[in-house]
Amino acid sequence: MFLKRIELQGFKSFADKSIITFDSDVIGIVGPNGCGKSNINDAIRWVLGEQSVKSLRGTSMSDVIFNGSTERKPVNMAEVTLVFDNSRHIMNVDFEEVEVTRRLHRQSGEGEYFINKTPCRLKDIVNLVMDTGLGRDSLSIISQGNISAFADAKPEERRALFEEAAGVAKYKKRKNESLGKLNRTQENLSRLEDIIMELERQVNPLKRQAKKANIYIEKKSELEKIEVSVLVDEIEKLHTQMEELKKKSFDLDTQKAMHETTISVEDNQNSELRNEMYQLDREITKLQETFTKLSEDARMLETRKIEMDEKRKYALEFASNAEKAKELKAMMEEAHYEYEDRSRRLQDLETDMALRKEEMTKCDNDISYCLQENQQANAILNRLQNRKDVLENLARQPFNHQQAVKAVLDANLNGILGVVSQLFKPQMNYETAISNSLAGAMYHIVTKDEASARHAISFLKKNQSGRATFLPLTVMKPRYMNKEHRMLAENCEGFLGIASEFVENEERFNTLRDALFGNVIVVDQLVNANEIAKVLRYGYKIVTLEGDIVNKGGSMTGGRTRNQATPLTIQKELNQVLQSLDGQSMKVDGLKNQLTALQSKKERLRTDFVQMQISSAQLDPIVKAKWAKYDRLKADYEQIAPQEDLADSALMEDDIVVKLSAVHSKIDDITSQMKSKRERRLKAGNEVERKDGQIRQLRRELNVLQNEMREVEVAQAKAETRLETSMERLSSTYEMTFEYAQSMKLDTDMEEARRRVVVLRQEIAALGNVNLDAPKEYEEVSERFTFLSKQREDLLAAKDKILTAIDEMDEIMIKQFKEMFDKINAQLNDVFRALFGGGKARLFMVDPQDVLNTGIDIDVQPPGKTVQNIRLFSGGEKSLIAICVLFSILKARTMPLCIFDEVEAALDQANVERFAKYIGQFRGESQFIVVTHRPGTMAQCDALYGVTMQQNGVSQLLKVKLQDAIHMIDKEEVSA
Ligand code: ATP
Ligand code: MG
């Protein structure tokens, strides 16, 4: 036997602990109505997992707990234990004996479950019982009045009975679980598919946008690279062009200046020459007048001389010897006078010429001295000019040597307010002091705030343009000189003031001014600086007008470099240079004039000298002729009066010859002067004409030069504008310094690059609006899309697997179900004939095609009857049919336990006996617990238990003998 023992306590009418021990296979339970027999049946089903309150004949689960009676109080807990013999391993566990317990507490409504005293879940008990034939759908436990249910059930409801018999419940359960899983998988799948569809909707536009953005980025970066190179190339070309233009402009300037100087010099010279010419004209006219008058005198004298000569001629031919001698002597004296006069004049001329020559040499010396002076003065002028150019250049670009400062200023970054040296202007004479007191700080860059400074520093880093110091205005703290110290300093010799008093600046930089200069003292000279430093205990920086410094703490800085121009001292030096330049150019001009004067003097001397040479050459033969004449007259005279002494002859002043000689001498002199002046006049005239021509030519050239200069200026302005535009683009669009950009320049064909820039610009514009986040978004979305698609594949695979498993289970179920169905069907006819004493019966599937779902119907034909519908049979018949099916099942497969609660109640005496005997056939294989009132059944039982209610409302159990049992019934019948 399978069920070895039942223990009940507090269950329904079993208030006290009651134990039923079974020691044989067919057991009968007997007792009067209402004594609690069916409660035992309920108890067994309850332990095996019955959850239906209705089938336990209650309205709530707590109805199974003993509820009290007139004499007994209710209890708080119901507990039932079944003990099974599992030596045949009917239950799929390793234990030889299985003890199953169920408990219910009234207060909490809490249920407890145990297998072999170990707590477990209800589910574990259901699983344990599954497929043992004790399942809730099997026919093995039949409740009171339920026997006809089989016949009355719909075919579909009946099917469960056969499933239970075929042992497919576990597959069915698993299949259900699989279907649940399938459902959930399907749900997940559809949710996933919704998301995937949504992603698909996004992914394509995003893909397009991302592609567009990538094209944009690619083109943009290509453009940037090329454009930077193009800009650099352009800037380089413009630099070269500007250089050339500058050089050309300089050349033109020089030429122009030279032309202008030449013109003004020539003009000057011309006007001087014209003056001279005028002077000469006047002089010549005057000489001419004298000449005319002298010529008149000479003509008159000559007329008289001719008359005298005629008289003498006559006397010499016709007069006496004495007379002749007198005449000859006079003539001889005259000839001698003439000779002497001419010789003297020649001598005077030669003396004059020597003088002139001397003067000319002196003049030459003067000229070369003047030239030398001029050269020196010019050299100084040039040096000053150069220095002026350098200083002007420095003033224009004061930060050319401060690479970082220049880069920051050129880049036009936001928040850059200027450089210290630009923002503070030293007062006159304090330039050196202020400049030296600042030292390097004069190149510090002033910014609006710290953020601007940070930005500028990152700009310098990016472009590798060097380092600079920044002074954010917002964090500058002013410094002051303590009042007491100031008073002490003011009483010291040489104290001039605080450096901040000697600079000029915009008001908004006052704080910065005080931060830089507020505690720097200015004094006149170093010795006083030391004195004040001592008085102030070396607490301040002190600077002298010369720029020497006594630092805080007492260290001293000083000395001098050659070109120590700083942005702060440039202007001062420039002013000095400009002044010197003025003086020097005046000196040069003076020297030039001096030179011109010397040169014209020398020219005059030379002309005079030449004229004298001519005169001398003319005079020389005359002297000789006069001597010859005298010599001849002397010879003539000596023939006549040889002894006469000639020595003391003297000519009177009014002697014609004397007069004539004097007049001739004058005329010669004037002629010579006139000639020389005329020559000079002529030369000057030619010179003026030549110079006028030259000036005209120069003016024409100057005009051409000016036109060229204007062109160059226009070209310069154009190039400058283009340069500014390109530099601006480089710094604002790319934040690059030119030097950094230059290092990035590509080595390509620039014409081609320029064309490419235009093409790229067009292509980028044609792209229109671009979403730069698209590539990232696309990547994210497509990553998600791929991930979810993979998940979908996994789910689909899982779904396939589940479906295959379900198919496999279906196959097994179909096979097992069919086999069991056929086996049962094969038994049915015989069992039917045995119990009905003939006829036939057959089970059939309503839809044999769908074994898994088909309903089961039964075709019965008791002997001599042709009833078609099973529902039309009598109650007894319906019970018997159900019993037939149950016995067929028992024959087809062993069931360990059957519990019948008055199943044979409706049968007649003969049928009861046949039923009871048939049970006997299964002895040894199945165990039967039969609640009955029928002696026929009782007679076939191996043991009988009587249930009584001695106390009111509390069931009690006792083993009884058949006779006692029958007696009990009799008593019932008697009492009834
Ligand atoms: P019959 O021969 O008529 O079928 P029976 O022996 O099968 O009678 P049961 O149906 O087992 O009788 O017992 C019913 C009795 O159990 C009722 O009289 C009822 O008083 C008692 N009963 C049911 N539930 C409880 C409960 N929770 N507490 C106390 N008694 C209960
Ligand atoms: Mg009953």
Side-chain angles (χ1 to χ4, degrees), residues 37-38 57 144 901-902 931:
K37 302 183 296 292
S38 293
R57 299 181 294 158
Q144 186 171 12
D901 195 345
E902 295 188 47
V931 176

Side-chain angles (χ1 to χ4, degrees), residues 69 138 150 236 271 319 377 402 425 548 561 572 633 674 752 829-830 859 863 877 927:
S69 68
S138 82
F150 173 77
E236 281 171 348
S271 72
Q402 266 65 35
K425 195 174 173 297
D548 298 325
T561 47
K572 182 187 181 188
L633 285 171
M674 265 179 17
E752 179 59 36
N829 207 39
D830 290 348
D859 202 0
E877 280 171 324
Q927 183 182 16

Side-chain angles (χ1 to χ4, degrees), residues 568-819:
L568 291 171
T569 58
I570 287 171
Q571 200 51 51
K572 182 187 181 188
E573 196 188 340
L574 191 59
N575 288 342
Q576 286 167 351
V577 167
L578 284 174
Q579 222 172 346
S580 311
L581 208 55
D582 268 357
Q584 195 61 27
S585 64
M586 257 163 69
K587 186 173 174 188
V588 169
D589 280 352
L591 282 168
K592 238 183 227 156
N593 286 341
Q594 206 179 331
L595 191 67
T596 323
L598 281 172
Q599 271 160 347
S600 65
K601 182 183 173 192
K602 193 197 158 191
E603 183 59 31
R604 214 161 50 239
L605 288 171
R606 209 186 55 81
T607 322
D608 285 355
F609 182 76
V610 170
Q611 205 49 57
M612 281 175 190
Q613 269 182 324
I614 294 169
S615 298
S616 136
Q618 281 169 348
L619 210 53
D620 192 53
I622 292 174
V623 169
K624 281 185 179 119
K626 292 293 174 194
W627 178 261
K629 189 180 173 188
Y630 165 71
D631 207 36
R632 192 166 34 84
L633 285 171
K634 191 183 167 201
D636 284 352
Y637 177 72
E638 275 168 355
Q639 273 180 357
I640 303 170
Q643 50 283 86
E644 194 76 31
D645 182 18
L646 291 172
D648 57 346
S649 74
L651 285 179
M652 291 293 117
E653 241 184 56
D654 59 346
D655 195 289
I656 286 174
V657 173
V658 175
K659 279 184 180 160
L660 204 55
S661 281
V663 167
H664 274 302
S665 168
K666 274 181 189 157
I667 283 177
D668 274 1
D669 190 35
I670 282 171
T671 312
S672 166
Q673 273 188 50
M674 265 179 17
K675 260 192 188 161
S676 148
K677 286 195 197 294
R678 276 210 178 100
E679 198 178 323
R680 278 223 304 286
R681 165 74 174 77
L682 189 72
K683 258 194 181 159
N686 284 343
E687 187 68 5
V688 167
E689 216 166 90
R690 192 183 63 75
K691 282 191 194 300
D692 272 346
Q694 210 178 349
I695 288 171
R696 272 196 303 280
Q697 177 61 24
L698 284 171
R699 282 200 205 285
R700 271 197 297 277
E701 282 175 20
L702 202 61
N703 224 10
V704 172
L705 283 176
Q706 271 162 344
N707 281 342
E708 267 181 74
M709 273 170 85
R710 265 194 294 280
E711 275 168 29
V712 168
E713 266 166 31
V714 171
Q716 262 175 329
K718 261 192 201 161
E720 200 149 347
T721 316
R722 279 173 61 199
L723 189 66
E724 264 169 26
T725 315
S726 297
M727 290 294 266
E728 167 66 22
R729 190 157 170 76
L730 208 55
S731 74
S732 67
T733 309
Y734 298 106
E735 286 219 330
M736 283 185 191
T737 61
F738 171 64
E739 290 74 16
Y740 181 67
Q742 218 174 7
S743 69
M744 315 250 295
K745 187 184 173 188
L746 302 170
D747 184 22
T748 52
D749 175 5
M750 278 302 149
E751 269 319 300
E752 179 59 36
R754 237 176 282 271
R755 278 198 290 280
R756 184 81 187 126
V757 166
V758 174
V759 170
L760 283 170
R761 280 234 181 92
Q762 282 167 351
E763 285 176 352
I764 286 170
L767 284 174
N769 276 343
V770 174
N771 172 10
L772 285 175
D773 293 333
K776 197 161 164 279
E777 283 170 19
Y778 170 66
E779 198 184 314
E780 279 167 14
V781 167
S782 68
E783 201 173 281
R784 207 155 152 242
F785 181 77
T786 321
F787 175 73
L788 292 178
S789 298
K790 175 83 189 25
Q791 248 189 5
R792 176 171 62 178
E793 267 168 38
D794 290 352
L795 279 180
L796 281 171
K799 186 179 158 189
D800 269 1
K801 230 169 158 183
I802 295 169
L803 282 172
T804 320
I806 288 175
D807 278 352
E808 278 169 15
M809 283 186 279
D810 279 353
E811 235 169 75
I812 293 171
M813 284 195 285
I814 289 168
K815 187 164 167 275
Q816 286 197 9
F817 187 84
K818 239 176 146 173
E819 273 174 16

Side-chain angles (χ1 to χ4, degrees), residues 11-14 31-40 42 57 62-69 144 901-902 931 933 947 949 953 955:
F11 187 84
K12 285 200 172 177
S13 56
F14 290 89
N33 288 133
C35 70
K37 302 183 296 292
S38 293
N39 289 347
I40 296 174
D42 290 341
R57 299 181 294 158
S62 65
D63 285 345
V64 304
I65 304 171
F66 176 71
N67 231 343
S69 68
Q144 186 171 12
D901 195 345
E902 295 188 47
V931 176
H933 284 292
V947 183
M949 254 186 193
S955 299

Side-chain angles (χ1 to χ4, degrees), residues 262-447:
T262 318
I263 287 173
S264 98
V265 168
E266 309 253 285
D267 244 356
N268 255 351
Q269 288 177 352
N270 260 7
S271 72
E272 263 167 39
L273 280 171
R274 283 210 177 84
N275 267 346
E276 199 188 342
M277 274 160 68
Y278 173 69
Q279 193 67 29
L280 284 169
D281 278 344
R282 279 206 354 219
E283 284 170 15
I284 289 168
T285 312
K286 229 177 179 171
L287 286 170
Q288 187 69 50
E289 273 167 23
T290 319
F291 178 79
T292 313
K293 203 173 149 270
L294 285 172
S295 295
E296 186 58 29
D297 289 353
R299 204 174 47 78
M300 269 162 55
L301 286 170
E302 264 161 13
T303 312
R304 278 173 60 198
K305 179 130 192 302
I306 287 165
E307 278 170 14
M308 199 176 74
D309 281 350
E310 284 297 318
K311 266 185 218 161
R312 275 184 184 150
K313 223 174 174 180
Y314 182 79
L316 281 178
E317 267 184 42
F318 301 105
S320 63
N321 268 355
E323 201 67 20
K324 263 187 197 170
K326 199 187 149 201
E327 280 310 314
L328 268 176
K329 193 183 173 202
M331 281 169 76
M332 194 179 70
E333 275 168 3
E334 276 173 13
H336 191 251
Y337 177 83
E338 274 183 348
Y339 161 74
E340 284 210 315
D341 178 65
R342 301 310 186 258
S343 313
R344 199 186 60 248
R345 271 168 60 196
L346 189 60
Q347 217 171 341
D348 284 353
L349 251 179
E350 265 157 15
T351 315
D352 269 3
M353 273 166 71
L355 258 171
R356 286 284 188 287
K357 205 153 197 173
E358 220 172 88
E359 262 188 277
M360 271 162 72
T361 316
K362 190 175 170 284
C363 203
D364 270 342
N365 285 342
D366 284 353
I367 283 173
S368 72
Y369 176 76
C370 198
L371 272 173
Q372 211 177 318
E373 279 280 280
N374 194 26
Q375 210 173 3
Q376 269 171 16
N378 261 325
I380 294 172
L381 189 72
N382 274 341
R383 219 166 44 232
L384 286 168
Q385 190 74 45
N386 281 343
R387 186 71 189 144
K388 177 189 150 227
D389 286 348
V390 167
L391 288 171
E392 275 175 349
N393 228 8
L394 263 176
R396 255 198 313 278
Q397 297 174 310
F399 308 115
N400 248 1
H401 299 293
Q402 266 65 35
Q403 188 203 3
V405 175
K406 184 174 182 301
V408 169
L409 292 186
D410 286 352
N412 274 330
L413 301 176
N414 266 345
I416 301 295
L417 304 177
V419 179
V420 168
S421 64
Q422 294 174 318
L423 303 178
F424 298 96
K425 195 174 173 297
Q427 285 174 10
M428 213 160 57
N429 294 330
Y430 290 90
E431 293 92 345
T432 313
I434 296 295
S435 172
N436 283 13
S437 89
L438 275 175
M442 85 175 79
Y443 297 111
H444 290 180
I445 298 168
V446 181
T447 66

